[in-house]
Amino acid sequence: MRETITLRRLGPEDLDVLMAVEEGLFDNAILPDQAEAILNDGRHEMVLAFDGGDAVGMASGQVLLHPDKAPAFFINEVGVRESHQRRGIATALCNRLIGVARARGCEGIWLATEGDNGPARGLYRAMGARETADIVVYDWDGAMDG
């Protein structure tokens, strides 16, 4: 990863930072009410990668609580602008989220990606993640439409 790339874990005081991210890093335009809700919910985590003052990568996740087991952590989304891919930014973002999750006492960390997403699958395998098989996803109201 290049020296100019810095990572920033966002908190409630960083709404202006998140709202200043130029379109294209997230799937859709950032919704102010949702951005504020995520940053103020202690179960959500978001890390941005910056090249100078420009946000070039993001990763988000959430602590999942269960009454019968330790907290788990779901990595919800990882993205890097095309101009900055293949520089180790996604790896750094994932490692930061995994470190945060472990520090928060999470004992299971997981994510999912599309079967045909070769770059993502390669990234996660290179990071030592175990790829599982025979997982079937069900959704309601178009949740998996992107």
Side-chain angles (χ1 to χ4, degrees), residues 53-119:
D54 299 323
V56 297
M58 59 77 62
S60 64
Q62 180 179 7
V63 175
L64 304 173
L65 302 176
H66 304 277
D68 64 333
K69 54 183 91 81
F73 192 83
F74 171 62
I75 298 176
N76 185 39
E77 225 171 346
V78 178
V80 175
R81 291 192 191 277
E82 191 172 326
S83 62
H84 285 71
Q85 291 177 358
R86 306 206 52 81
R87 296 186 190 181
I89 296 169
T91 300
L93 288 164
C94 288
N95 282 331
R96 175 68 63 90
L97 273 184
I98 290 168
V100 167
R102 288 180 174 150
R104 293 185 65 162
C106 296
E107 294 184 7
I109 301 165
W110 65 282
L111 58 77
T113 193
E114 298 82 4
D116 64 353
N117 190 341

Side-chain angles (χ1 to χ4, degrees), residues 4-5 8 15 20-21 45-46 57 70 73 75 83 88-89 107 134 139-140 142 146:
T4 60
I5 302 298
R8 180 171 176 171
L15 181 60
V21 173
E45 294 288 347
M46 181 165 293
F73 192 83
I75 298 176
S83 62
I89 296 169
E107 294 184 7
D134 298 323
D139 77 346
W140 285 261

